[in-house]
Amino acid sequence: NRENFIHLCNPHLEKMKEDILYHFALGTSTHDFPALFGDVKFVCVGGSPSRMKAFIAYIAEELGLGSPGGDYPNICAGTDRYAMYKVGPVLSVSHGMGIPSISIMLHELIKLLHHAKCSNITIIRIGTSGGIGLEPGSVVITWQSVDATFKPQFEQVVLGKTVIRSTNLDEQLAKELMQCSEEIGQFNTVIGNTMCTLDFYEGQGRLDGAICLYNEEEKLQYLKEAYDSGVRNIEMESSVFAAMCNLSGVKAAVVCVTLLNRLEGDQISSSHDVLVEYQQRPQKLVGYFIKKSLGKV
């Protein structure tokens, strides 16, 4: 097994005596990154701190690495921006909501993994999304992340110039996750494109925001065009996630559950208990994948 280390696309970092990961409240002069994180092989990221704490408790039990009801301290307790938890080879990190928030987290996470000399890393985003043409509770494994015009790209302005980056994800990893879902056999799972938007309301064609200057017919036409282009769900983080993992040479996937079918409405109306069960589905799938990868299935 060839060791694949994190690739940093920044020559300036080599000249720095110290690297402060400000939003994690960690730094290379104050923390021993190889000792703390050197054994990490799987990183799971998701929007909510509480969800990522629940995931680390779940995976600890699945891997037989924790005691029932055990507590898992927040490694980033010195900040309220993000939360980070670890058990064995698994790191669980929250990223907040939207492209800017996950982008900041990923810059520091990728540097953390580099400073820790981690190799052969798999990063998986687990989250929630709006489905298109799918029953609520369906899980989507992203084939490509596309923008709001259905193009597989992430566009960013750097030094006043528009930079376009690829949003392809690891095809083999997506297939392995799909195989895991078939082995579990507990919920509907599909592989499809995921549309990443800059906004939850107008950007996703909702009719229930504070501002809406289009009609329902126009909304449905847009969503059907998205479906016809291969889009099966909508969220707000996958494009920059895919782009940054690509540039860093990291194997990555996105696994999101759908909370509603956007062709039938805009508001999430399922009960709290139903939504909690839905949100556990990506955790179960990724947890099974990790167990299988470690030979524990």
Side-chain angles (χ1 to χ4, degrees):
N1 291 329
R2 190 168 60 88
E3 294 292 291
N4 292 316
F5 292 94
I6 303 292
H7 173 64
L8 289 186
C9 298
N10 184 357
H12 305 289
L13 293 173
E14 297 178 7
K15 305 171 186 175
M16 295 169 51
K17 294 181 179 179
E18 178 185 13
D19 190 4
I20 298 172
L21 309 185
Y22 173 73
H23 301 90
F24 285 167
L26 299 171
T28 52
S29 66
T30 54
H31 297 80
D32 186 341
F33 282 57
L36 288 170
F37 307 107
D39 61 339
V40 169
K41 295 297 179 185
F42 304 94
V43 183
C44 295
V45 303
S48 161
S50 61
R51 197 183 304 152
M52 300 321 292
K53 185 172 185 179
F55 175 75
I56 208 67
Y58 172 76
I59 199 65
E61 184 175 348
E62 288 292 297
L63 297 179
L65 297 176
S67 56
D71 187 41
Y72 301 92
N74 177 10
I75 298 170
C76 297
T79 176
D80 60 1
R81 295 295 182 187
Y82 304 105
M84 180 185 296
Y85 306 94
K86 182 182 181 298
V87 63
V90 183
L91 195 64
S92 178
V93 192
S94 70
H95 59 59
M97 189 181 296
I99 286 173
S101 185
I102 191 174
S103 170
I104 294 167
M105 188 282 290
L106 285 171
H107 274 283
E108 299 188 15
L109 174 64
I110 290 165
K111 292 197 296 177
L112 179 153
L113 297 171
H114 171 76
H115 293 316
K117 298 179 170 58
C118 294
S119 63
N120 302 327
I121 294 288
T122 298
I123 302 182
I124 303 177
R125 165 167 144 69
I126 54 177
T128 58
S129 62
I132 302 182
L134 296 174
E135 285 296 311
S138 299
V139 172
V140 179
I141 301 167
T142 304
W143 188 249
Q144 284 185 319
S145 174
V146 301
D147 64 17
T149 65
F150 320 138
K151 295 176 183 176
Q153 63 183 36
F154 172 63
E155 186 175 304
Q156 184 172 5
V157 176
V158 179
L159 299 182
K161 298 177 181 178
T162 299
V163 176
I164 294 176
R165 291 170 176 161
S166 167
T167 54
N168 289 334
L169 289 155
D170 191 278
E171 294 182 8
Q172 184 58 36
L173 178 56
K175 292 176 181 176
E176 290 174 11
L177 286 163
M178 188 66 192
Q179 177 63 33
C180 286
S181 182
E182 292 172 357
E183 292 173 17
I184 295 171
Q186 294 182 11
F187 41 79
N188 180 49
T189 303
V190 302
I191 293 180
N193 290 346
T194 295
M195 183 164 72
C196 183
T197 66
L198 303 178
D199 162 57
F200 185 81
Y201 287 99
E202 289 182 283
Q204 296 187 9
R206 278 184 162 82
L207 301 173
D208 59 344
I211 299 169
C212 180
L213 303 177
Y214 45 83
N215 60 39
E216 184 169 11
E217 183 181 351
E218 290 170 321
K219 164 207 158 176
L220 287 173
Q221 180 181 348
Y222 175 67
L223 293 180
K224 288 174 181 175
E225 288 175 2
Y227 183 88
D228 290 342
S229 75
V231 172
R232 293 297 176 266
N233 65 332
I234 312 172
E235 46 85 272
M236 297 187 292
E237 293 86 19
S238 60
S239 63
V240 71
F241 173 80
M244 292 182 70
C245 288
N246 272 336
L247 286 170
S248 303
V250 179
K251 188 163 61 173
V254 178
V255 179
C256 289
V257 68
T258 60
L259 301 183
L260 76 167
N261 180 359
R262 287 295 318 289
L263 295 175
E264 297 178 356
D266 295 331
Q267 298 207 327
I268 300 167
S269 57
S270 298
S271 70
H272 173 74
D273 290 344
V274 169
L275 292 176
V276 168
E277 194 278 322
Y278 284 172
Q279 291 174 23
Q280 291 171 348
R281 293 180 179 185
Q283 296 185 19
K284 289 179 180 178
L285 174 50
V286 173
Y288 182 89
F289 166 78
I290 292 173
K291 283 177 66 178
K292 186 176 179 181
S293 298
L294 294 174
K296 294 180 178 287
V297 172

